[in-house]
mmCIF file of all heavy atoms in Angstrom:
data_model
loop_
_atom_site.group_PDB
_atom_site.id
_atom_site.type_symbol
_atom_site.label_atom_id
_atom_site.label_comp_id
_atom_site.label_asym_id
_atom_site.label_seq_id
_atom_site.Cartn_x
_atom_site.Cartn_y
_atom_site.Cartn_z
ATOM 1 N N GLU A 14 -20.618 45.141 55.252
ATOM 2 C CA GLU A 14 -21.736 44.856 56.206
ATOM 3 C C GLU A 14 -23.068 44.787 55.450
ATOM 4 O O GLU A 14 -23.298 45.531 54.498
ATOM 5 C CB GLU A 14 -21.801 45.994 57.237
ATOM 6 C CG GLU A 14 -20.717 45.853 58.304
ATOM 7 C CD GLU A 14 -20.861 44.622 59.193
ATOM 8 O OE1 GLU A 14 -22.056 44.100 59.355
ATOM 9 O OE2 GLU A 14 -19.798 44.274 59.724
ATOM 10 N N ILE A 15 -23.890 43.893 55.990
ATOM 11 C CA ILE A 15 -25.283 43.852 55.719
ATOM 12 C C ILE A 15 -26.154 44.427 56.783
ATOM 13 O O ILE A 15 -26.022 43.952 57.937
ATOM 14 C CB ILE A 15 -25.701 42.328 55.338
ATOM 15 C CG1 ILE A 15 -24.865 41.806 54.226
ATOM 16 C CG2 ILE A 15 -27.288 42.342 55.031
ATOM 17 C CD1 ILE A 15 -25.051 40.305 54.075
ATOM 18 N N ALA A 16 -26.858 45.457 56.470
ATOM 19 C CA ALA A 16 -27.516 46.216 57.496
ATOM 20 C C ALA A 16 -28.623 45.380 58.255
ATOM 21 O O ALA A 16 -29.318 44.752 57.617
ATOM 22 C CB ALA A 16 -28.275 47.505 56.970
ATOM 23 N N GLY A 17 -28.576 45.519 59.584
ATOM 24 C CA GLY A 17 -29.715 44.938 60.399
ATOM 25 C C GLY A 17 -29.648 43.370 60.540
ATOM 26 O O GLY A 17 -30.661 42.949 61.056
ATOM 27 N N ASN A 18 -28.613 42.666 60.050
ATOM 28 C CA ASN A 18 -28.704 41.229 60.264
ATOM 29 C C ASN A 18 -28.098 40.715 61.497
ATOM 30 O O ASN A 18 -28.123 39.595 61.884
ATOM 31 C CB ASN A 18 -28.140 40.542 59.064
ATOM 32 C CG ASN A 18 -26.573 40.768 58.986
ATOM 33 O OD1 ASN A 18 -25.948 41.391 59.847
ATOM 34 N ND2 ASN A 18 -26.028 40.092 57.986
ATOM 35 N N GLY A 19 -27.551 41.680 62.363
ATOM 36 C CA GLY A 19 -27.012 41.283 63.657
ATOM 37 C C GLY A 19 -25.734 40.591 63.584
ATOM 38 O O GLY A 19 -25.344 39.895 64.571
ATOM 39 N N LEU A 20 -25.123 40.633 62.581
ATOM 40 C CA LEU A 20 -23.755 39.858 62.285
ATOM 41 C C LEU A 20 -22.631 40.800 61.916
ATOM 42 O O LEU A 20 -22.825 41.874 61.480
ATOM 43 C CB LEU A 20 -23.928 38.833 61.114
ATOM 44 C CG LEU A 20 -24.985 37.725 61.287
ATOM 45 C CD1 LEU A 20 -25.170 37.045 60.054
ATOM 46 C CD2 LEU A 20 -24.663 36.938 62.514
ATOM 47 N N ASP A 21 -21.391 40.347 62.246
ATOM 48 C CA ASP A 21 -20.283 41.007 61.904
ATOM 49 C C ASP A 21 -19.840 40.517 60.554
ATOM 50 O O ASP A 21 -18.849 39.714 60.485
ATOM 51 C CB ASP A 21 -19.156 41.015 63.002
ATOM 52 C CG ASP A 21 -17.873 41.580 62.536
ATOM 53 O OD1 ASP A 21 -17.982 42.459 61.647
ATOM 54 O OD2 ASP A 21 -16.914 41.420 63.244
ATOM 55 N N ASP A 22 -20.467 40.895 59.483
ATOM 56 C CA ASP A 22 -20.279 40.426 58.098
ATOM 57 C C ASP A 22 -18.850 40.527 57.712
ATOM 58 O O ASP A 22 -18.334 39.644 56.950
ATOM 59 C CB ASP A 22 -21.304 40.970 57.184
ATOM 60 C CG ASP A 22 -22.678 40.868 57.525
ATOM 61 O OD1 ASP A 22 -23.071 39.606 57.636
ATOM 62 O OD2 ASP A 22 -23.347 41.869 57.789
ATOM 63 N N ASP A 23 -18.131 41.688 58.009
ATOM 64 C CA ASP A 23 -16.804 41.905 57.451
ATOM 65 C C ASP A 23 -15.722 41.467 58.484
ATOM 66 O O ASP A 23 -14.623 41.627 58.252
ATOM 67 C CB ASP A 23 -16.573 43.372 57.109
ATOM 68 C CG ASP A 23 -16.827 44.314 58.245
ATOM 69 O OD1 ASP A 23 -17.104 43.930 59.412
ATOM 70 O OD2 ASP A 23 -16.789 45.573 58.120
ATOM 71 N N SER A 24 -16.133 40.765 59.585
ATOM 72 C CA SER A 24 -15.224 40.374 60.527
ATOM 73 C C SER A 24 -14.184 41.359 61.114
ATOM 74 O O SER A 24 -13.098 40.973 61.388
ATOM 75 C CB SER A 24 -14.510 39.148 59.973
ATOM 76 O OG SER A 24 -15.320 38.071 59.547
ATOM 77 N N ASN A 25 -14.668 42.545 61.296
ATOM 78 C CA ASN A 25 -13.764 43.578 61.856
ATOM 79 C C ASN A 25 -14.114 43.770 63.372
ATOM 80 O O ASN A 25 -13.503 44.656 63.962
ATOM 81 C CB ASN A 25 -14.004 44.900 61.083
ATOM 82 C CG ASN A 25 -15.336 45.573 61.386
ATOM 83 O OD1 ASN A 25 -16.206 45.013 61.901
ATOM 84 N ND2 ASN A 25 -15.437 46.860 60.780
ATOM 85 N N GLY A 26 -14.925 43.007 64.019
ATOM 86 C CA GLY A 26 -15.142 43.016 65.351
ATOM 87 C C GLY A 26 -16.306 44.015 65.687
ATOM 88 O O GLY A 26 -16.623 44.159 66.944
ATOM 89 N N TYR A 27 -17.111 44.419 64.783
ATOM 90 C CA TYR A 27 -18.192 45.450 65.000
ATOM 91 C C TYR A 27 -19.365 44.881 64.227
ATOM 92 O O TYR A 27 -19.304 44.860 63.004
ATOM 93 C CB TYR A 27 -17.776 46.813 64.520
ATOM 94 C CG TYR A 27 -16.446 47.285 65.252
ATOM 95 C CD1 TYR A 27 -15.327 47.305 64.529
ATOM 96 C CD2 TYR A 27 -16.521 47.806 66.552
ATOM 97 C CE1 TYR A 27 -14.111 47.707 65.070
ATOM 98 C CE2 TYR A 27 -15.421 48.217 67.138
ATOM 99 C CZ TYR A 27 -14.128 48.149 66.456
ATOM 100 O OH TYR A 27 -13.000 48.539 67.130
ATOM 101 N N ILE A 28 -20.494 44.770 65.001
ATOM 102 C CA ILE A 28 -21.693 44.213 64.339
ATOM 103 C C ILE A 28 -22.546 45.308 63.760
ATOM 104 O O ILE A 28 -22.796 46.265 64.324
ATOM 105 C CB ILE A 28 -22.593 43.431 65.452
ATOM 106 C CG1 ILE A 28 -21.783 42.239 65.988
ATOM 107 C CG2 ILE A 28 -23.860 43.031 64.867
ATOM 108 C CD1 ILE A 28 -22.379 41.541 67.138
ATOM 109 N N ASP A 29 -22.822 45.168 62.494
ATOM 110 C CA ASP A 29 -23.667 46.074 61.702
ATOM 111 C C ASP A 29 -23.168 47.445 61.715
ATOM 112 O O ASP A 29 -23.818 48.487 61.863
ATOM 113 C CB ASP A 29 -25.135 46.106 62.241
ATOM 114 C CG ASP A 29 -25.869 44.652 61.841
ATOM 115 O OD1 ASP A 29 -25.387 44.072 60.956
ATOM 116 O OD2 ASP A 29 -26.892 44.457 62.396
ATOM 117 N N ASP A 30 -21.842 47.647 61.603
ATOM 118 C CA ASP A 30 -21.320 49.008 61.455
ATOM 119 C C ASP A 30 -21.341 49.521 60.119
ATOM 120 O O ASP A 30 -20.318 49.596 59.279
ATOM 121 C CB ASP A 30 -19.776 49.004 61.932
ATOM 122 C CG ASP A 30 -18.902 48.053 61.227
ATOM 123 O OD1 ASP A 30 -19.273 46.944 60.945
ATOM 124 O OD2 ASP A 30 -17.699 48.536 61.005
ATOM 125 N N VAL A 31 -22.606 49.654 59.583
ATOM 126 C CA VAL A 31 -22.923 50.125 58.316
ATOM 127 C C VAL A 31 -22.345 51.533 57.879
ATOM 128 O O VAL A 31 -21.794 51.622 56.794
ATOM 129 C CB VAL A 31 -24.458 50.007 57.966
ATOM 130 C CG1 VAL A 31 -24.730 50.450 56.687
ATOM 131 C CG2 VAL A 31 -24.872 48.543 58.226
ATOM 132 N N ASN A 32 -22.629 52.435 58.919
ATOM 133 C CA ASN A 32 -22.184 53.816 58.645
ATOM 134 C C ASN A 32 -21.023 54.266 59.481
ATOM 135 O O ASN A 32 -20.550 55.342 59.314
ATOM 136 C CB ASN A 32 -23.313 54.722 58.804
ATOM 137 C CG ASN A 32 -24.384 54.623 57.804
ATOM 138 O OD1 ASN A 32 -25.487 54.312 58.174
ATOM 139 N ND2 ASN A 32 -24.130 54.706 56.514
ATOM 140 N N GLY A 33 -20.658 53.441 60.522
ATOM 141 C CA GLY A 33 -19.603 53.740 61.478
ATOM 142 C C GLY A 33 -19.815 53.099 62.778
ATOM 143 O O GLY A 33 -20.505 52.109 62.760
ATOM 144 N N TRP A 34 -19.179 53.612 63.838
ATOM 145 C CA TRP A 34 -19.291 52.844 65.168
ATOM 146 C C TRP A 34 -19.308 53.864 66.264
ATOM 147 O O TRP A 34 -18.763 54.963 66.213
ATOM 148 C CB TRP A 34 -18.215 51.947 65.310
ATOM 149 C CG TRP A 34 -18.352 50.972 66.473
ATOM 150 C CD1 TRP A 34 -17.615 51.036 67.656
ATOM 151 C CD2 TRP A 34 -19.258 49.928 66.501
ATOM 152 N NE1 TRP A 34 -18.226 50.029 68.388
ATOM 153 C CE2 TRP A 34 -19.101 49.243 67.794
ATOM 154 C CE3 TRP A 34 -20.225 49.324 65.615
ATOM 155 C CZ2 TRP A 34 -19.977 48.242 68.228
ATOM 156 C CZ3 TRP A 34 -20.912 48.326 66.072
ATOM 157 C CH2 TRP A 34 -20.778 47.648 67.274
ATOM 158 N N ASN A 35 -20.122 53.469 67.328
ATOM 159 C CA ASN A 35 -20.239 54.201 68.653
ATOM 160 C C ASN A 35 -19.357 53.502 69.606
ATOM 161 O O ASN A 35 -19.761 52.418 70.183
ATOM 162 C CB ASN A 35 -21.682 54.198 69.020
ATOM 163 C CG ASN A 35 -21.953 54.831 70.335
ATOM 164 O OD1 ASN A 35 -21.134 55.046 71.104
ATOM 165 N ND2 ASN A 35 -23.163 55.358 70.329
ATOM 166 N N PHE A 36 -18.177 54.128 69.995
ATOM 167 C CA PHE A 36 -17.330 53.647 71.021
ATOM 168 C C PHE A 36 -17.720 53.903 72.363
ATOM 169 O O PHE A 36 -17.238 53.324 73.335
ATOM 170 C CB PHE A 36 -15.887 53.950 70.751
ATOM 171 C CG PHE A 36 -15.307 53.388 69.524
ATOM 172 C CD1 PHE A 36 -15.418 53.885 68.295
ATOM 173 C CD2 PHE A 36 -14.716 52.097 69.653
ATOM 174 C CE1 PHE A 36 -14.988 53.176 67.190
ATOM 175 C CE2 PHE A 36 -14.173 51.510 68.679
ATOM 176 C CZ PHE A 36 -14.304 51.871 67.402
ATOM 177 N N VAL A 37 -18.668 54.804 72.629
ATOM 178 C CA VAL A 37 -19.285 55.134 73.879
ATOM 179 C C VAL A 37 -20.124 53.994 74.377
ATOM 180 O O VAL A 37 -20.013 53.612 75.493
ATOM 181 C CB VAL A 37 -20.039 56.532 73.896
ATOM 182 C CG1 VAL A 37 -20.667 56.801 75.290
ATOM 183 C CG2 VAL A 37 -19.037 57.574 73.499
ATOM 184 N N ALA A 38 -21.048 53.550 73.467
ATOM 185 C CA ALA A 38 -22.029 52.527 73.751
ATOM 186 C C ALA A 38 -21.722 51.131 73.368
ATOM 187 O O ALA A 38 -22.495 50.198 73.370
ATOM 188 C CB ALA A 38 -23.449 53.021 73.365
ATOM 189 N N ALA A 39 -20.545 51.047 72.583
ATOM 190 C CA ALA A 39 -20.158 49.850 71.879
ATOM 191 C C ALA A 39 -21.390 49.278 71.049
ATOM 192 O O ALA A 39 -21.812 48.143 71.075
ATOM 193 C CB ALA A 39 -19.816 48.844 72.855
ATOM 194 N N SER A 40 -21.803 50.169 70.127
ATOM 195 C CA SER A 40 -22.900 49.732 69.224
ATOM 196 C C SER A 40 -22.883 50.571 67.972
ATOM 197 O O SER A 40 -21.998 51.413 67.792
ATOM 198 C CB SER A 40 -24.258 50.203 69.923
ATOM 199 O OG SER A 40 -24.523 51.669 69.845
ATOM 200 N N ASN A 41 -23.807 50.302 67.120
ATOM 201 C CA ASN A 41 -23.781 50.957 65.757
ATOM 202 C C ASN A 41 -24.753 52.175 65.807
ATOM 203 O O ASN A 41 -25.127 52.758 64.826
ATOM 204 C CB ASN A 41 -24.128 50.094 64.633
ATOM 205 C CG ASN A 41 -25.579 49.493 64.779
ATOM 206 O OD1 ASN A 41 -26.293 49.737 65.706
ATOM 207 N ND2 ASN A 41 -26.020 48.689 63.814
ATOM 208 N N ASP A 42 -25.271 52.480 67.024
ATOM 209 C CA ASP A 42 -26.053 53.720 67.258
ATOM 210 C C ASP A 42 -25.317 55.005 67.091
ATOM 211 O O ASP A 42 -24.459 55.255 68.053
ATOM 212 C CB ASP A 42 -26.826 53.602 68.506
ATOM 213 C CG ASP A 42 -27.707 54.846 68.761
ATOM 214 O OD1 ASP A 42 -27.894 55.607 67.911
ATOM 215 O OD2 ASP A 42 -28.228 54.930 69.912
ATOM 216 N N LEU A 43 -25.348 55.686 66.062
ATOM 217 C CA LEU A 43 -24.459 56.840 65.764
ATOM 218 C C LEU A 43 -25.175 58.184 66.113
ATOM 219 O O LEU A 43 -24.667 59.258 65.851
ATOM 220 C CB LEU A 43 -23.920 56.839 64.399
ATOM 221 C CG LEU A 43 -23.170 55.673 64.116
ATOM 222 C CD1 LEU A 43 -22.931 55.565 62.525
ATOM 223 C CD2 LEU A 43 -21.796 55.780 64.790
ATOM 224 N N TRP A 44 -26.414 58.085 66.633
ATOM 225 C CA TRP A 44 -27.282 59.323 66.833
ATOM 226 C C TRP A 44 -26.502 60.297 67.672
ATOM 227 O O TRP A 44 -26.098 60.005 68.734
ATOM 228 C CB TRP A 44 -28.664 58.938 67.501
ATOM 229 C CG TRP A 44 -29.487 60.091 67.503
ATOM 230 C CD1 TRP A 44 -29.870 60.885 68.594
ATOM 231 C CD2 TRP A 44 -29.998 60.807 66.352
ATOM 232 N NE1 TRP A 44 -30.544 61.922 68.199
ATOM 233 C CE2 TRP A 44 -30.754 61.943 66.791
ATOM 234 C CE3 TRP A 44 -30.045 60.509 65.022
ATOM 235 C CZ2 TRP A 44 -31.425 62.803 65.920
ATOM 236 C CZ3 TRP A 44 -30.834 61.376 64.153
ATOM 237 C CH2 TRP A 44 -31.529 62.506 64.683
ATOM 238 N N ASP A 45 -26.507 61.450 67.236
ATOM 239 C CA ASP A 45 -25.830 62.603 67.905
ATOM 240 C C ASP A 45 -26.725 63.138 69.110
ATOM 241 O O ASP A 45 -27.772 63.780 68.776
ATOM 242 C CB ASP A 45 -25.565 63.797 66.886
ATOM 243 C CG ASP A 45 -24.716 64.859 67.419
ATOM 244 O OD1 ASP A 45 -24.414 64.861 68.703
ATOM 245 O OD2 ASP A 45 -24.279 65.847 66.606
#
């Protein structure tokens, strides 16, 4: 992944999942 480019660079179905994924909000926002 390339951080912050708004693309799913690795084609795994998750956009900008640089550090992980948030399945509650379907986003890369991992804030606790």
Side-chain angles (χ1 to χ4, degrees):
E14 280 297 330
I15 299 169
N18 69 357
L20 299 173
D21 179 14
D22 300 297
D23 61 1
S24 301
N25 68 351
Y27 305 101
I28 295 171
D29 288 340
D30 61 321
V31 175
N32 296 120
W34 192 252
N35 177 338
F36 285 91
V37 176
S40 76
N41 64 356
D42 179 6
L43 299 167
W44 188 253
D45 188 352

